[in-house]
Amino acid sequence: MLRVLMFLVPLALSVYAFIDCISTRDEDVRHIPKPLWAILVLLFPLVGSLSWLIAGKKRQPAGAPGRPRSRGGWVAPDDNPDFLKSLGEEKDGRADRAKDGEKRRETDRERDGEKDRGEEPKGE
């Protein structure tokens, strides 16, 4: 088990560092150009990955004022007023369909009752 971890941990670190390197904006890369960082991470997986994570990227704290915030991104359904409105419309539509279905059943029962008594159905 330990042998597997000794292989998987550096591999996962290298994959993470490589994806982080290629997805980082060019202006956030420090010291050397981004393509050289990517080559360094690929050629020297452990050393390259650690050096990328430590020195290759400008990092800012999560609440830093200079950090851009996404305003038009994904919103959770319970926070999205359009989604909540569509639920209300869907519920209203189901209620209307249920009322229409009940009316049809009543009409069908009346028609079936007339047939059972030997009468001609109304409206046909």
Side-chain angles (χ1 to χ4, degrees):
M1 181 68 180
L2 188 59
R3 290 181 186 170
V4 174
L5 284 178
M6 288 175 56
F7 173 73
L8 286 180
V9 170
L11 179 67
L13 179 67
S14 299
V15 169
Y16 173 78
F18 181 71
I19 292 173
D20 188 41
C21 179
I22 62 174
S23 64
T24 299
R25 296 181 303 182
D26 288 337
E27 57 267 10
D28 290 338
V29 176
R30 297 190 303 177
H31 305 299
I32 60 176
K34 186 163 73 167
L36 290 178
W37 274 115
I39 292 170
L40 182 70
V41 169
L42 289 177
L43 290 180
F44 306 102
L46 192 59
V47 174
S49 300
L50 290 174
S51 59
W52 164 255
L53 293 174
I54 294 170
K57 183 178 180 180
K58 291 180 188 171
R59 307 237 183 243
Q60 294 179 345
R67 187 174 185 186
R69 296 181 184 182
S70 59
R71 290 284 179 196
W74 183 80
V75 178
D78 58 344
D79 293 335
N80 187 340
D82 295 332
F83 176 75
L84 296 174
K85 189 186 312 179
S86 72
L87 287 179
E89 291 168 359
E90 184 179 307
K91 184 178 177 182
D92 293 342
R94 266 191 271 151
D96 292 342
R97 286 193 300 269
K99 289 177 186 174
D100 292 343
E102 185 62 34
K103 288 177 185 176
R104 279 192 221 113
R105 275 184 264 176
E106 289 175 12
T107 306
D108 291 345
R109 281 189 216 122
E110 290 172 4
R111 195 175 319 138
D112 290 343
E114 291 169 356
K115 286 181 184 177
D116 290 343
R117 287 180 272 174
E119 301 174 8
E120 287 295 318
K122 297 178 185 175
E124 289 185 11

